[in-house]
Amino acid sequence: MRINKFIAQAGLASRRGADKLIEAGRVRVNGGVLLEPGYDVRPEDQVTVDGKPLSAPEKKVYYALYKPAGYVTTVSDPQGRPTVMDLVADIPERIYPVGRLDLQTSGLLIMTNDGDFARALMHPSSQIGKVYRVLIAGGISKEAVSRLRAGVDIGGFVTSRARVDLLHWDRHASLLEIEIHEGKNRQVRRMFKAVGHPVEQLERISIGSLGLGRLRPGKYRRLNPDEVRRLLGECHG
Ligand code: URA
């Protein structure tokens, strides 16, 4: 990796800023002042800036976490509630959640330390499908299902077409699966409220080709390179 990128990835400066540090003679490689701005850093090199060692950039890692309800999807919570970070405390890399699930929503959450990957997945143009399982009180009408499919006004925004499957239906409760390609704040809850059925339980069961599989609530697993590549391939835009 080029020395300026190496310094930038360590969070010390932008690449241009790194070039200036090199020009100013503040960068040393294996003890000697670096004179060559295009130097390629080797894994065994010891790089210092102003005498302070830089560590190699963290390896990119990707995890699927089964978030239980009752955990906030933030890195820290001023109110002291349990956060998803508590569930991944033994992962050494500095990972963070890709997007978010509401406090009371459970299900699949991807976590990574790869900013480019997180941005690609979360960008509105990504259009990656997210499937939710939704439990509501009462029997849902055919008309309400049609409205969810066609798009509903959730207050200043009309949702685009969605796949909606009715899994179970009786007088007391309905269980549905909905696939959306947008990620507005509390979108699924707002969609069901708009058709007169506040959500009682909400769980995300997949993001693109990645499902919960055999994960148990509160547990995580590492994604393999194929899974990561496939997810990226499913992002449009
Ligand atoms: N839609 C919601 O309403 N809540 C979530 O957590 C995710 C999608």
Side-chain angles (χ1 to χ4, degrees), residues 108-200:
L108 181 61
L109 188 67
I110 298 176
M111 300 188 73
T112 185
N113 56 356
D114 182 345
D116 292 335
F117 174 85
R119 272 186 293 279
L121 241 73
M122 281 192 318
H123 197 272
S125 68
S126 130
Q127 296 279 308
I128 194 160
K130 282 157 288 200
V131 179
Y132 295 86
R133 204 158 270 189
V134 189
L135 182 71
I136 57 172
I140 193 165
S141 65
K142 276 193 180 145
E143 191 247 331
V145 172
S146 304
R147 284 182 63 206
L148 288 167
R149 284 190 181 129
V152 285
D153 190 338
I154 55 170
F157 180 80
V158 178
T159 57
S160 50
R161 295 185 70 79
R163 174 176 67 79
V164 181
D165 296 330
L166 192 51
L167 304 180
H168 172 86
W169 183 96
D170 64 32
R171 270 186 308 127
H172 308 292
S174 310
L175 183 66
L176 300 97
E177 222 173 78
I178 183 166
E179 178 171 6
I180 58 170
H181 295 267
E182 305 135 308
K184 295 285 173 200
N185 192 26
R186 300 176 69 83
Q187 179 166 338
V188 177
R189 291 177 193 274
R190 286 157 71 196
M191 288 173 78
F192 278 81
K193 191 149 180 251
V195 299
H197 289 279
V199 164
E200 304 233 310

Side-chain angles (χ1 to χ4, degrees), residues 23-150:
E23 234 176 80
R26 293 165 63 185
V27 179
R28 287 173 182 260
V29 175
N30 305 324
V33 172
L34 180 71
L35 301 172
E36 191 192 326
Y39 183 77
D40 272 321
V41 181
R42 292 164 302 184
E44 65 275 18
D45 283 342
Q46 291 288 331
V47 180
T48 62
V49 174
D50 295 336
K52 291 197 199 83
L54 297 193
S55 47
E58 223 171 52
K59 183 175 168 359
K60 304 278 188 258
V61 289
Y62 311 83
Y63 289 88
L65 169 72
Y66 192 150
K67 174 196 173 301
Y71 283 77
V72 258
T73 311
T74 47
V75 173
S76 68
D77 182 50
Q79 295 176 48
R81 293 170 296 186
T83 79
V84 291
M85 301 311 290
D86 300 338
L87 301 168
V88 296
D90 54 349
I91 296 176
E93 291 87 4
R94 279 166 302 176
I95 58 169
Y96 47 85
V98 178
R100 57 188 291 275
L101 290 174
D102 300 334
L103 178 65
Q104 293 308 345
T105 303
S106 59
L108 181 61
L109 188 67
I110 298 176
M111 300 188 73
T112 185
N113 56 356
D114 182 345
D116 292 335
F117 174 85
R119 272 186 293 279
L121 241 73
M122 281 192 318
H123 197 272
S125 68
S126 130
Q127 296 279 308
I128 194 160
K130 282 157 288 200
V131 179
Y132 295 86
R133 204 158 270 189
V134 189
L135 182 71
I136 57 172
I140 193 165
S141 65
K142 276 193 180 145
E143 191 247 331
V145 172
S146 304
R147 284 182 63 206
L148 288 167
R149 284 190 181 129

